[in-house]
Structure formats: C-alpha cells, structure tokens
Amino acid sequence: MAETHSLQDFQRPAVSSKVFIQRDYSSGTICKFQTKFPSELESRLDKQQFEETIQTLNNLYAEAEKLGGSSYLEGCLACLTAYTVFLCMETHYEKVLKKIDRYIKDQNEKIYAPRGLLLTDPIERGLRVVEITIFEDRNIGSGR
Amino acid sequence: MKNCDYQQIDPKVVPTYASPSHIGTRGPRRVRRKWEVFPGKNRFYCGGRIMMAQQSGVLPLTLGLILVTTGLFFIFDCPFLVKHLSSCVPVIGAVLFVFVFITLLQTSFSDPGILPRATLEEAANVERQIDSSGNSSYRPPPRTKEVLINQQMVKLKYCFTCKMFRPPRTSHCSLCDNCVERFDHHCPWVGNCVGKRNYRFFYTFIVSLSFLTSFIFGCVSTHLAMSTTQQKHSFSYPHASFLWFRVMFELVICFFSVWSILGLSGFHTYLVASNMTTNEDIKGSWSGKSGDVATNPFSHRNVFVNCCSVLCAPLPPSLIDRRGILPVEEESAQMCHADIQLPANKNQRNMVGAPAHHPLCLKPHSKLKAELAAAASACLSVVKVWLSG
C-alpha cells in the first residue's frame, strides 16, 4: 500500500496532524471533493498545486461515474447475462480506480512526500474524505 | 531500505506499520481480513466473499417457494405442454428461472453499498470543527447540516453510530447497523438491505420473477384447460387428488405472486423512472410535505436518463474492502472503536479469533437451528394468513 511504502522512506516520522478534505455535494451524489485550500497546509504546499491535485481527482472520479455510451453498453450486456459478467470482468469503475491509485502514488512521490505530506487514497476512507497526513518538520528535504 | 533502523520501539511489541507478508510469516499470528472485525451486524461466509444481514429473514421461504413452484412446473406441466403446445415452453421457463435465481442470490449476497464507519481521527476532526469557541474540546456535533444540491437545500444528518455526516440519500439501517448509500429499504424476502450497489440486481429479480410467475400461471392454466377439453388426463376427484393439489398449489402461489410481485415491479419502475428510493417515497422527501416546494434534486428530468442512471450506470465498488488484509495498527484501532471484547494482552490478540466470524462457509450449529426455526415459524404464519384470507 502507498501509505506503508512512503512511511518507510521517511524512516517512520511522527505524524503531526491530519487534514481531511470533505466531499462536495453541490452537483449531487457524484464523487467530488472540495477544492478549498486548508489553512494547515499553507506553510507546506502551494494552493495551485493542491487545487490541481483535487481537480484531477474530481475529473477522474467523474470519468469513473460517467453516464455515456460505453457505460450503457456495459450495463445492458450485464443485464442480459443476469449480471454474471461482473464476476469475470473488471468494471469500468474499477479500471479508473486503478488509474486514480497510480496518480496518487505519483503525486505523493513528486509533490507531497518531499514536503512531508502524504495523500491517502479516498477509497481507503470509503470515498468520504481525502486524508492528508502532515509529518513533523524535521523530515522535509531529508530525502531517503 | 533501512528497515532495521526504523525500530524505535521495543522489538517485543508488534510494530505498527508491518506489511501483511511479515504478519503471515511470523509465528502463530495469522492474517486477518477486514470482514473479521467489521463493526456492523452482518454475517460473512466463504472468507468474506458472501455477506448477508444478521437475520436472513424469510430468504429460505423465498427460495423454497421459487424452487418448489418451478420444480413442479418443469416436472408436471412441461412434458404435456411440449407435446401439445410448443417446445419453447421449458426453454422460456428455464431462462426466466435462471435470471430469477441468479439475481436473487446477487441481491442477497452482495454489499448493498455500505459506508465504512469514520476513523477515529475523522470523527475527532468533525467534532473539533463544530467547536466555535476555539478550544480543542470534543462535543457531539449538531444533528444536521444543510448543503446546496442542484440549487436545492438538502439536510444531511449526523450518524452517531458511524460518526459522520451521512452523504445525501444515505440512511442508517438499524437491522444491519450500517449506513447504506442510496438506501432503498431492508428487504426480509432477500435477507439484505437494498441500496446503491444491489438495486439493479433487486429490480431485475422482481421483474423477472413477475414474468416467471405470470408465465407459470399461464402455462398451468393452459395445461388445465387443454387437459379438461381433451380429456387426456383425468382430473376427477376420486382419481387424482394429488394432481388437483399440485395444480391448485401452483395456481394459488402464482396468482398471489403475480399480483403482489407485479405490483411491486410497477412501483419500482415508477421509482426508477423518477430516480427516487422507497425510503424517500415513504418519507415524502420530495413531495413538499414540509410546505416548501421541493423537487427531487437528483432526478435528471428525463425518464430514459433516470432509468439508465439507476440501472445502467457503472457499478460502484464495494467501499468496505472485506477481503482486504487488516494492518496491525488498524486491528488495534478497530478493537477499541468497535468495542470488541478482547483480552488486553497483545500476545493473545491474534489467537482469539471470534468464533462468530469463522472463515469457513459453515455456520455454527446453534445459529442454523435458530434460523430454521425462524423460517419454519415464518412459513406457518404465511400459511395461516393464506388459509384465513
């Protein structure tokens, strides 16, 4: 898991605090997170970088839940096979979740880890929040 | 990787970020999966792959009625109808039966869309945010929070069990003790909640069941009519009381099922077309009961799009990750959070293994007996109502 690998890189630093980015329900029940920049990250991260990360995540989740030709085809095919096709085939949503997992790992390696932060994949928190763990200052810039 | 240098704690104490492979290779500790410490009232079988509500309700009765009625149809009516009507009859019956059976099992055994409970840090964060005085004291947050969804104010309620503000359309099922997304209802006939993830299975089940019962009803009536006309089979009283009993059983079951299941299918078709849940319909959430002009903010204002979004949208993933390996630090947190009674000694932690969550597919004998008794009493009450009505 991303959490374990990144923490080993930091030689088990102490967790200073955690910030939780809540869901944005203004467009309905689709998975979307608020892009408001939390004050706790002001000393560690650029507002623009944070917004870009959250916006990309929102776009990926929108892609996962998109109602379009391919999702309708998948749904109709599944219905015709009494949904047994879900037992053998990876769904569209699961494919996008893997993409999101790779994106978060990439963001952690490039942007967040060097700043003593760790992004947790929202799927590990039931798609409720984006959890950002803030580690103590001594680990910034120390590398591996 | 300098793993040895990370050990800043006593090596005798279990390290908090040990990977699952280390857990498996070390002494008596066995790999624990998340379903084993699931806080809700669900039962898991086959290593967490199958999940159901704690009480199976009348699922055995549902299965029994479907199997017996369809079995009688195939054994007694199909041979006659194949000979005198068409060989398509058993084929259509078989296809419908397969649809009904598979979708019933999928509805009963899948995750309805359970939201995992908030972690301790999340819950503390929510409570801390509410405290306006600036102190870091923790007190229960207010019961509701209003959000604007598609230009309409919707109230989100705080769930004290799951320690989070419930997303819109989510409701807490008291029978299963879980918050379920897009909660429709808890169905005792399938022994599970019906929610976001299994609504399409449930809808396909009731629609195909109404087709199956109508089909069997039609076939049995046709068989009866043709036999009486052709006088091929003697239905006179002294000769074939078993045949009469069997025919009446099938006709009565199908007649009642047709009306009730067809009605239910019609109701759910209306719900699907207007993108509503049974829960919202019963509570009158969008009917302007409170005096405000309220419309459903989740409806796409188009029947076709509503149907597609409910039935053909990408299947959301299960959020509870029941087959996931439980990290050791989460294991101890879950133990505190879910109030599981375990001894304080850490060495014994992994040897306890609550007997109710044994990974085998078999239930404890006493539980099976209790459920059979419950199913039998449910059958008796249904028969009593049927005879008196």
Side-chain angles (χ1 to χ4, degrees):
Chain A
M1 297 180 192
E3 209 169 346
T4 310
H5 288 284
S6 300
L7 287 166
Q8 284 176 353
D9 291 340
F10 281 116
Q11 303 194 13
R12 196 96 47 83
V15 174
S16 167
S17 63
K18 290 190 181 189
V19 177
F20 298 96
I21 313 300
Q22 300 291 334
R23 284 273 293 267
D24 175 9
Y25 295 116
S26 57
S27 310
T29 50
I30 59 160
C31 186
K32 195 175 163 189
F33 294 96
Q34 292 175 1
T35 49
K36 182 169 159 290
F37 187 59
S39 52
E40 295 93 331
L41 298 177
E42 270 167 12
S43 57
R44 302 279 190 113
L45 192 64
D46 282 340
K47 186 179 172 186
Q48 205 176 353
Q49 273 171 334
F50 170 81
E51 279 179 5
E52 198 188 306
T53 307
I54 301 296
Q55 200 52 54
T56 311
L57 280 177
N58 287 343
N59 292 340
L60 285 167
Y61 282 114
E63 187 195 323
E65 297 179 18
K66 198 176 105 173
L67 295 172
S70 59
S71 70
Y72 292 157
L73 271 174
E74 191 186 63
C76 288
L77 173 72
C79 185
L80 289 171
T81 58
Y83 302 105
T84 49
V85 75
F86 288 143
L87 299 170
C88 2
M89 177 180 104
E90 195 180 51
T91 64
H92 171 69
Y93 210 119
E94 283 165 352
K95 286 179 191 156
V96 180
L97 284 178
K98 284 189 175 167
K99 219 167 146 182
I100 291 170
D101 182 52
R102 285 194 298 269
Y103 175 73
I104 287 175
K105 279 182 180 149
D106 180 65
Q107 288 284 290
N108 271 331
E109 273 175 27
K110 291 184 182 157
I111 298 171
Y112 291 84
R115 290 167 172 78
L117 301 170
L118 180 72
L119 215 58
T120 302
D121 195 334
I123 198 77
E124 292 178 29
R125 297 288 177 265
L127 293 180
R128 287 187 306 268
V129 290
V130 176
E131 184 181 299
I132 303 177
T133 311
I134 303 171
F135 294 100
E136 281 182 4
D137 278 347
R138 60 185 169 91
N139 290 313
I140 295 174
S142 62
R144 279 181 244 153
Chain B
M1 300 291 264
K2 302 188 177 84
N3 282 337
C4 298
D5 296 341
Y6 297 157
Q7 301 295 334
Q8 296 171 12
I9 50 176
D10 188 344
K12 288 177 197 165
V13 174
V14 176
T16 51
Y17 295 110
S19 67
S21 56
H22 292 163
I23 294 171
T25 53
R26 237 199 263 183
R29 181 170 298 129
R30 68 174 178 88
V31 167
R32 296 196 83 193
R33 295 195 185 263
K34 291 179 184 173
W35 66 265
E36 295 182 56
V37 295
F38 187 70
K41 290 181 196 165
N42 288 91
R43 288 179 298 157
F44 297 88
Y45 303 106
C46 296
R49 291 179 181 87
I50 289 173
M51 66 180 291
M52 295 177 69
Q54 193 177 50
Q55 294 147 7
S56 56
V58 289
L59 174 64
L61 176 68
T62 311
L63 278 168
L65 281 172
I66 293 170
L67 288 169
V68 166
T69 314
T70 316
L72 288 173
F73 164 74
F74 278 117
I75 294 167
F76 295 105
D77 300 297
C78 275
F80 179 85
L81 291 170
V82 163
K83 199 173 161 190
H84 294 96
L85 196 65
S86 167
S87 54
C88 290
V89 167
V91 174
I92 296 169
V95 167
L96 286 172
F97 172 71
V98 162
F99 256 80
V100 164
F101 195 70
I102 291 178
T103 48
L104 172 61
L105 295 184
Q106 285 177 327
T107 313
S108 302
F109 295 157
S110 61
D111 171 15
I114 294 172
L115 271 177
R117 296 186 185 185
T119 57
L120 293 170
E121 294 109 344
E122 272 179 73
N125 180 256
V126 170
E127 290 178 13
R128 202 182 322 129
Q129 279 175 359
I130 306 304
D131 190 355
S132 54
S133 65
N135 298 329
S136 60
S137 60
Y138 299 97
R139 64 172 187 217
R143 292 264 302 166
T144 58
K145 179 167 91 167
E146 290 208 342
V147 293
L148 198 66
I149 298 177
N150 293 329
Q151 282 83 48
Q152 190 170 319
M153 290 306 270
V154 175
K155 273 190 185 150
L156 303 185
K157 283 187 181 169
Y158 184 78
C159 183
F160 285 98
T161 310
C162 303
K163 303 262 188 291
M164 61 181 173
F165 278 100
R166 282 183 215 134
R169 316 190 90 176
T170 302
S171 199
H172 191 95
C173 176
S174 51
L175 289 166
C176 302
D177 204 23
N178 293 314
C179 270
V180 178
E181 282 193 290
R182 205 185 182 276
F183 180 75
D184 195 85
H185 66 286
H186 182 101
C187 186
W189 294 94
V190 304
N192 199 4
C193 288
V194 177
K196 186 172 170 183
R197 292 191 76 246
N198 67 349
Y199 186 77
R200 65 192 74 193
F201 306 145
F202 176 75
Y203 183 75
T204 312
F205 165 63
I206 55 173
V207 167
S208 48
L209 185 62
S210 35
F211 279 121
L212 180 69
T213 49
S214 313
F215 183 71
I216 293 178
F217 185 77
C219 287
V220 172
S221 308
T222 308
H223 181 186
L224 191 62
M226 287 173 86
S227 303
T228 315
T229 322
Q230 293 174 12
Q231 296 178 351
K232 286 280 167 74
H233 289 267
S234 172
F235 279 99
S236 56
Y237 263 113
H239 183 68
S241 56
F242 169 71
L243 288 172
W244 269 114
F245 173 76
R246 193 257 308 162
V247 164
M248 292 317 295
F249 176 81
E250 282 181 87
L251 282 177
V252 166
I253 293 288
C254 290
F255 182 76
F256 282 110
S257 304
V258 164
W259 286 110
S260 54
I261 303 293
L262 211 59
L264 192 65
S265 303
F267 173 63
H268 277 277
T269 306
Y270 156 72
L271 290 180
V272 164
S274 51
N275 202 332
M276 268 209 305
T277 62
T278 307
N279 197 39
E280 287 163 356
D281 188 67
I282 286 173
K283 286 183 181 170
S285 307
W286 318 122
S287 62
K289 217 167 57 165
S290 57
D292 307 323
V293 177
T295 54
N296 185 357
F298 307 105
S299 171
H300 298 271
R301 311 275 180 262
N302 179 309
V303 167
F304 180 70
V305 178
N306 278 340
C307 291
C308 288
S309 71
V310 175
L311 302 173
C312 297
L315 185 69
S318 175
L319 299 174
I320 53 177
D321 188 27
R322 46 197 194 270
R323 295 268 308 152
I325 306 284
L326 194 67
V328 180
E329 52 123 23
E330 268 190 42
E331 197 176 330
S332 44
Q334 287 277 359
M335 286 175 186
C336 302
H337 192 49
D339 293 326
I340 295 173
Q341 301 291 328
L342 285 176
N345 189 347
K346 283 179 195 169
N347 291 332
Q348 291 182 11
R349 184 171 52 192
N350 289 302
M351 290 171 67
V352 174
H357 296 298
H358 198 279
L360 290 181
C361 291
L362 303 173
K363 289 183 275 193
H365 186 58
S366 55
K367 267 196 184 173
L368 191 61
K369 272 173 76 176
E371 276 172 32
L372 283 171
S377 62
C379 286
L380 279 171
S381 56
V382 167
V383 169
K384 273 185 200 167
V385 166
W386 178 22
L387 289 172
S388 62

